[in-house]
Amino acid sequence: MEAVFTSANFDTDVLGSDIPVVVDFFATWCGPCRMMAPAIEELAEEYAGKVKVGKLDVDETRDIDVRYGVMSIPTIIPFKNGEV
């Protein structure tokens, strides 16, 4: 199961993770995001324990969106050791 990232847990759960993290920047109203959801879920299941995969709702996390220059969605950004 994929993780849910928020402004409150992003630094700890993504940047502080000891395993690589894939963040899916999405919005509930975004059609292409909904189309990607099954693939993201499959990725999370296939790499469970090796890679943390999760979603970040851009409507609720403007600070994170701006920090990483997310201009359109879906945007998928991998992180390793706190770096893009």
Side-chain angles (χ1 to χ4, degrees):
M1 176 167 204
E2 61 213 318
V4 176
F5 302 124
T6 64
S7 293
N9 72 10
F10 187 85
D11 288 348
T12 303
D13 291 356
V14 175
L15 303 181
S17 178
D18 56 349
I19 61 174
V21 181
V22 174
V23 179
D24 174 21
F25 290 79
F26 84 106
T28 56
W29 50 263
C30 169
C33 298
R34 287 193 304 271
M35 290 174 60
M36 289 291 299
I40 297 297
E41 180 68 35
E42 184 177 323
L43 188 67
E45 290 174 15
E46 185 173 336
Y47 290 96
K50 297 176 191 160
V51 176
K52 188 183 302 182
V53 178
K55 294 181 165 291
L56 184 88
D57 189 331
V58 297
D59 288 333
E60 298 175 7
T61 57
R62 291 297 307 148
D63 57 322
I64 307 294
D65 310 341
V66 169
R67 187 188 318 177
Y68 291 99
V70 174
M71 303 287 276
S72 62
I73 52 174
T75 294
I76 298 169
I77 301 178
F79 290 83
K80 184 175 181 184
N81 299 322
E83 306 257 335
V84 174

